[in-house]
Each structure stands twice: as C-alpha cells, then as structure tokens.
Amino acid sequence: MTSLPQIQPGAKRLGLVIDLDTCVGCHACAVNCKEWNTEGHHAPLPDYDPHGADPDGVWFNRIHSYEAEGSGGCGKTVNFPRSCLHCENPLCVTVCPTGASYKRAEDGIVLVNTDICIGCKLCSWACPYGAREFDEHDGVMKKCTLCIDRIYNESLPEAEREPACVATCPSRARHFGDLADPGSRVSKLVAERGGVDLMAELGYRPTNKYLPPRQTRIETRPVEMPASAPGGLGGALLALVDKVLSR
C-alpha cells in the first residue's frame, strides 16, 4: 500500500474555499473544468452516450442542488459543488496497491499517476466524497488536479494561475490559495466565515473548506397609503404605481 509523505516545514497546503452562500449552481465551474482538462494534465476526459437516455462521463466537478429551510420557515436552494478535497489524511492514497495515487509533499495536492494505475477502483471505494472518476475507455482512475498545469504555468500571467473552476466562477463563490498560511486570503475567509470540513468526523482532514450559507432576514412592512391623497384610495394606488414606474 502507498505511504503518505512527511509534512515538510513551511510546505504549502493548496486548496479551494467554496462559498455556499454565493454559489448559484450555474455549472460554469464544471464546464470549464471539463474543457480545460480534456486538453490538459489528465486528457482526455471522455463522455459516454452524451445525447442518449443514460449519459455518463468523467467530470472532476459536479454540482448538486438541495432545498433547505431558510429563515422564517421559507425554503432556500443550496447549491453544493463537489470535487476532490485533497485531504491531509487521504485513505484513497493509502489503499492504492501500486502507488498510482499519491500526495505531493510540497503542496498537498493528491494526484493519480495513470501510467501505473491498474484500475482496481480501491481508491474510489475508499473516498467518502465520491471524488474519484473512473475512465472506462483507458481503464484508469482520474480526479481533480487543482489544475497543476495552470497554477504552476509561468507562461501565464500570475493573476491567471488558478484552477479553471475558480477562474470561471461568475459569482466568485470559489477561492484558491494556501490554507497552510494563516495570512492568506483563503485562510482569512475560513476564519471570518466559520469555514467547515466536509464530514469532519471521518478524520480525513480535507484541505478544501466550505463556507456555510448565512442566515439573512429581509424586513418588510405594509405600504402605508396616505389617507388624504387626491381621488381617495384609487388615487393613492395610481400615485404609487406612477412612483414605481418612474424609477
């Protein structure tokens, strides 16, 4: 079985912080991830029967939507993006019989060496987050790489050295950085918003964090109609409509 590397002093712990309060479930992260990685590090990412009755394929990002109870008993839709969490204690790595699944000591990213992967699927059974994707065409396991071919690509402007999913998010719900640095923007976000680990009780210690939805309340009150408005109640209503349409 595969061993985890010794944590190096000052090593980075790169990962994502996902804001469930601002994610709109548009799937832009999943689509851009698919587009980038179909030509990138784990290329290609195949699709099976994409226009048929049971489409399937390899996707590193998947988004689920749930209906939760909001404030005042009202319903609220929560969109939940899911991908590899690059855990500090990844069982998907330690169960691998060939060393194909491994964790990098320098930045904590969990990767798969497809050249020595035998497709036994032990890693996918060990991952409680469903983050492993089996490529039936090549017979190997694939997964999110945090776009290592982008974040370390010195030919790109520094501002663009971030995962494709982060770069494309229209609501800025995804953030990328070094979670080992308490002064980094992502670490400050986690501290300020109470970022949480997904299924922390399992002990995998995910690097990626989720920012929970905030409880908000919009105070409303009935519109008061002026009693002395010209034309009585009908005139007051017309005046209100005119005011709204004149904005």
Side-chain angles (χ1 to χ4, degrees):
M1 299 300 173
T2 307
S3 299
L4 296 175
Q6 294 292 325
I7 299 177
Q8 301 176 358
K12 294 181 178 180
R13 188 153 48 91
L14 299 180
L16 302 174
V17 173
I18 300 174
D19 191 345
L20 299 182
D21 194 51
T22 55
C23 176
V24 297
C26 66
H27 293 252
C29 57
V31 173
N32 200 28
C33 168
K34 178 87 165 182
E35 181 180 10
W36 177 266
N37 286 287
T38 292
E39 300 294 335
H41 182 75
H42 266 332
L45 302 187
D47 289 307
Y48 310 111
D49 195 23
H51 307 295
D54 189 23
D56 199 1
V58 175
W59 293 77
F60 293 164
N61 273 282
R62 296 180 184 271
I63 296 86
H64 307 276
S65 297
Y66 303 93
E67 192 70 18
E69 183 176 347
S71 59
C74 297
K76 179 178 182 179
T77 299
V78 177
N79 301 295
F80 187 84
R82 175 175 61 85
S83 62
C84 175
L85 303 175
H86 299 277
C87 302
E88 292 187 57
N89 185 29
L91 189 59
C92 62
V93 169
T94 56
V95 301
C96 181
T98 67
S101 289
Y102 65 100
K103 184 175 180 66
R104 291 163 41 126
E106 63 270 28
D107 53 22
I109 298 176
V110 177
L111 296 174
V112 177
N113 181 351
T114 54
D115 290 336
I116 58 176
C117 176
I118 59 175
C120 66
K121 299 185 181 180
L122 282 176
C123 59
S124 64
W125 296 338
C127 176
Y129 307 115
R132 295 283 175 140
E133 295 279 324
F134 187 66
D135 185 337
E136 296 181 5
H137 182 269
D138 292 340
V140 296
M141 198 63 68
K142 296 181 177 180
K143 61 176 293 299
C144 163
T145 68
L146 277 182
C147 290
I148 57 171
D149 49 351
R150 285 179 62 102
I151 62 177
Y152 289 114
N153 189 343
E154 296 185 356
S155 66
L156 293 175
E158 187 171 355
E160 297 180 16
R161 296 175 199 170
E162 58 185 1
C165 62
V166 176
T168 198
C169 181
S171 62
R172 298 295 184 263
R174 303 175 76 94
H175 308 271
F176 168 72
D178 182 7
L179 286 136
D181 177 9
S184 68
R185 186 169 60 92
V186 286
S187 293
K188 290 179 179 178
L189 269 175
V190 171
E192 292 169 2
R193 293 277 309 280
V196 298
D197 290 349
L198 184 60
M199 295 192 284
E201 68 277 6
L202 297 179
Y204 287 71
R205 300 178 66 193
T207 296
N208 291 5
K209 310 296 181 191
Y210 287 92
L211 305 182
R214 288 172 282 202
Q215 293 295 324
T216 58
R217 181 181 294 277
I218 301 176
E219 298 293 342
T220 60
R221 58 183 177 84
V223 176
E224 296 181 1
M225 298 294 184
S228 59
L233 181 59
L237 287 173
L238 290 174
L240 178 61
V241 172
D242 183 64
K243 183 179 179 180
V244 171
L245 295 178
S246 299
R247 288 179 179 177

